[in-house]
Amino acid sequence: MRMLLDLLIPLFCAGCGALGTSWCARCAATLVGLRAVERTATKGVPVFALTAYGGPARRAIIAYKERGRRGLAEPLGQAMAAALPALAERLRADPPPVTRSRAGPPTPGVARPSDPLWLVPAPSRRVAVRRRGGHHMVRVAEVVAGRLALAGVSARVAPVLRLRGRAQDSVGLNVHARQRNLAENLCLAAAGVPPAGAPVLVLDDVVTTGSTAAACTRVLRRGGLSVLAVLACAATV
Ligand SMILES: [Zn+2]
């Protein structure tokens, strides 16, 4: 069946166009690494990306988000999961600020080592989710959680960041307008929020100004969660 489908719809690499694979080894090698992302908007927020937003990584992210290549969730999620040991090392060396739980001491919400890591996808506008036939970062987060499970690490996906309906598409907005747009329209879902003090990793596709990363972190921390870091596939340079 796969071969028949390949004949009808030839498979090609989303990064370089090579035939016979959806994501070739050479392009996969460009989505490896971990770099700290420094932006004015992200002071106090540890933000990391696998690579620079360009070349095969950029083409793959666009193909995945906007051209219906949903299968790319798999390599994107795998690449993010592969970066987590290095991320853990970085955070051990330079820990993020501790979020005090709302309850105060004694804190029922402080995370224990046996607690799961919560993966929170950066939000998409509802209209974009509809257009893409689903929330693209939730799919990637599920792949990350699956890879972590294989490594014996318990992780859960919690898509609890919401953009209210009136949020604008951030494309074309300057940094200040983006920040205002997000500050006014980003909120936590009414249900499904991890327990207070739970360790959270925010997952996003691309970091540009860092406004989204900062706003997500602010909202989650305000909700009593312990945001370890924001990890994106790529960051603009
Ligand atoms: Zn390729």
Side-chain angles (χ1 to χ4, degrees):
M1 192 62 189
R2 178 76 254 173
M3 277 170 64
L4 177 62
L5 280 177
D6 287 352
L7 283 175
L8 295 172
I9 313 160
L11 202 57
F12 62 93
C13 173
C16 67
L19 285 173
T21 176
S22 60
W23 184 235
C24 77
R26 200 182 302 175
C27 289
T30 68
L31 205 56
V32 171
L34 187 73
R35 53 178 73 196
V37 181
E38 310 265 338
R39 299 284 192 269
T40 321
T42 60
K43 270 212 175 78
V45 183
V47 181
F48 296 89
L50 305 184
T51 189
Y53 189 52
R58 177 174 177 273
R59 287 191 287 273
I61 290 167
I62 292 172
Y64 174 56
K65 276 174 77 174
E66 312 299 349
R67 309 229 166 102
R69 301 272 311 254
R70 289 196 207 173
L72 292 168
E74 195 63 38
L76 293 173
Q78 284 181 23
M80 291 186 114
L84 293 185
L87 178 63
E89 280 302 316
R90 298 285 280 269
L91 294 177
R92 210 187 333 258
D94 188 11
V98 172
T99 305
R100 296 280 160 226
S101 103
R102 287 162 291 191
T107 46
V110 168
R112 294 173 300 259
S114 57
D115 288 344
L117 171 66
W118 294 84
L119 303 173
V120 176
S124 287
R125 289 179 316 134
R126 212 172 298 164
V127 51
V129 171
R130 251 196 317 267
R131 189 181 65 231
R132 293 172 187 146
H135 190 313
H136 73 290
M137 283 315 295
V138 172
R139 277 198 299 265
V140 172
E142 280 163 357
V143 174
V144 175
R147 300 301 284 197
L148 286 174
L150 289 177
V153 177
S154 166
R156 290 198 211 161
V157 179
V160 293
L161 287 168
R162 296 271 184 278
L163 274 175
R164 295 195 184 95
R166 60 178 183 273
Q168 284 176 270
D169 191 342
S170 61
V171 174
L173 297 180
N174 67 27
V175 181
H176 296 294
R178 270 182 194 227
Q179 280 170 339
R180 202 171 45 240
N181 182 36
L182 284 163
E184 287 168 359
N185 295 303
L186 189 66
C187 59
L188 276 184
V193 178
V200 164
L201 180 65
V202 179
L203 300 178
D204 202 355
D205 47 17
V206 183
V207 178
T208 51
T209 64
S211 303
T212 304
C216 292
T217 302
R218 206 160 37 237
V219 167
L220 291 165
R221 284 183 177 161
R222 213 184 290 144
L225 300 173
S226 184
V227 179
L228 303 174
V230 178
L231 177 65
C233 295
T236 55
V237 284

